[in-house]
Amino acid sequence: MRIGIDLGGTKIEAIALDGSGEELFRQRIDTPQGDYRATIDAIVTLVQLLEAETRQTGTVGLGIPGAISPATDLVKNANSTWLIGKPLHADLEQALSRSIRIENDANCFVVSEATDGAARNADVVFGVIIGTGTGGGIYVRGKKITGINAIAGEWGHNPLPWPTADEYPGRECYCGKLGCIETWLSGPGFCNDHQMHGGKGNTARDIVILAEQGDEIANTSLQRYEDRMARALATIINIIDPDVIVLGGGMSKLTRLYNHVPKLWGEYVFSDQVITKLVPPLHGDSSGVRGAAWLWNK
Ligand SMILES: [Zn+2]
């Protein structure tokens, strides 16, 4: 049995999968905000619950909104800031009395979709999570690529490529730089850009509904968004040339992206034609937790 835990900023989700990937049990609890020790205890309690419910012991994989620094073995880059600098890996292994595997949540997402999801059987896969932030993960021929600095796939804090005059230098990002891809493509970034252009609606969903009702401002906001996504993904295609790009997170629910963005990216990719596929996730919001469980696939 494989246990996966997705440690999110507001929820911790746990899943138990059998050998073929069938879900045996699932539980979701609130994340203890700002409390490191309580976060450890919550994860241990979830593992105990899953093992009691299934009457089996399992391997444990954990997805976190950040990474374990290979240099220090401490958490870095986490937007759940109370985890930063903590020896989460060592503390959890001690508390659970076993080896565990920890990966960035976007890497877990791509592991899930490449293992038995929308990118199953693809050679090279880029997984993107676009919600309140923008993360990415790379999977090549049966293996995730973590990278020597544990940041492979972290494209969200590169600058938006091919900026127009009114996109440059761009808004300030929480990372300290200007014009990061995340400030344009995240859900809040999209809504902000739309409102700056005098648009109505407070969420991406509102804006899509307005566009479908014929609102021209909403439609042009979506067109700008799609062109930015095409440019941002074109740089990924130019580097790793993936077979499939899987979108996850809240913005992956905008179904028009799958049709519109691949029509735009050809202008930016250095190739005569682009046959890369852009697809929605098969496992939806469950991909993070399923991918954490699949960290023990090999
Ligand atoms: Zn940034």
Side-chain angles (χ1 to χ4, degrees):
M1 180 175 76
R2 296 182 177 92
I3 293 173
I5 312 265
D6 185 18
L7 173 53
T10 55
K11 298 277 179 198
I12 306 177
E13 187 157 21
I15 198 171
L17 301 181
D18 73 9
S20 63
E22 285 299 310
E23 179 179 328
L24 300 172
F25 193 77
R26 179 193 290 252
Q27 182 74 25
R28 188 182 242 237
I29 59 170
D30 290 335
T31 304
Q33 295 292 318
D35 188 335
Y36 175 68
R37 200 64 239 177
T39 302
I40 299 272
D41 292 344
I43 293 168
V44 171
T45 303
L46 279 169
V47 171
Q48 288 168 344
L49 172 75
L50 264 58
E51 294 190 333
E53 287 289 336
T54 59
R55 300 202 185 104
Q56 297 178 56
T57 54
T59 55
V60 176
L62 174 69
I64 62 169
I68 302 292
S69 166
T72 62
D73 222 22
L74 307 176
V75 176
K76 68 172 180 179
N77 295 356
N79 54 12
S80 301
T81 49
W82 64 93
L83 301 174
I84 291 174
K86 294 288 199 279
L88 181 64
H89 199 177
D91 285 346
L92 267 179
E93 288 198 332
Q94 187 181 30
L96 289 166
S97 307
R98 72 193 87 176
S99 292
I100 66 158
R101 292 181 180 172
I102 302 184
E103 265 293 341
N104 172 261
D105 48 11
N107 291 1
C108 291
F109 171 78
V110 77
V111 166
S112 167
E113 292 298 329
T115 301
D116 66 351
R120 175 180 207 151
N121 298 326
D123 251 10
V124 179
V125 184
F126 188 59
V128 185
I129 300 183
I130 307 185
T132 54
T134 305
I138 302 169
Y139 189 91
V140 179
R141 298 193 185 100
K143 285 185 73 175
K144 64 178 161 44
I145 308 292
T146 302
I148 198 164
N149 301 296
I151 56 158
E154 287 302 331
W155 69 319
H157 298 279
N158 286 355
L160 181 73
W162 296 281
T164 59
D166 61 347
E167 287 170 342
Y168 187 80
R171 284 191 299 279
E172 199 171 314
C173 181
Y174 78 89
C175 76
K177 303 251 187 333
L178 292 170
C180 288
I181 286 170
E182 178 164 311
T183 66
W184 296 105
L185 291 192
S186 67
F190 171 51
C191 295
N192 183 293
D193 178 69
H194 173 66
Q195 286 156 2
M196 299 276 278
H197 283 78
K200 293 181 294 213
N202 294 316
T203 66
R205 198 181 146 72
D206 293 344
I207 300 166
V208 169
I209 291 169
L210 283 165
E212 284 167 358
Q213 291 166 349
D215 183 310
E216 212 28 62
I217 296 178
N219 193 44
T220 50
S221 291
L222 279 159
Q223 285 171 344
R224 279 194 309 280
Y225 183 85
E226 286 159 356
D227 192 67
R228 286 166 186 153
M229 180 177 278
R231 281 181 264 159
L233 291 178
T235 62
I236 298 292
I237 297 172
N238 277 339
I239 296 171
I240 63 166
D241 200 1
D243 303 58
V244 183
I245 298 175
V246 191
L247 289 187
M251 296 301 278
S252 71
K253 295 179 177 122
L254 273 57
T255 50
R256 59 182 268 168
L257 298 177
Y258 304 102
N259 186 20
H260 292 188
V261 173
K263 290 195 175 115
L264 299 168
W265 65 25
E267 192 180 331
Y268 306 106
V269 175
F270 187 61
S271 176
D272 57 343
Q273 53 176 319
V274 185
I275 56 173
T276 305
K277 294 191 182 84
L278 181 68
V279 298
L282 183 67
H283 296 297
D285 294 336
S286 291
S287 245
V289 74
R290 290 182 64 90
W294 284 120
L295 292 176
W296 282 91
N297 199 16
K298 301 228 161 59

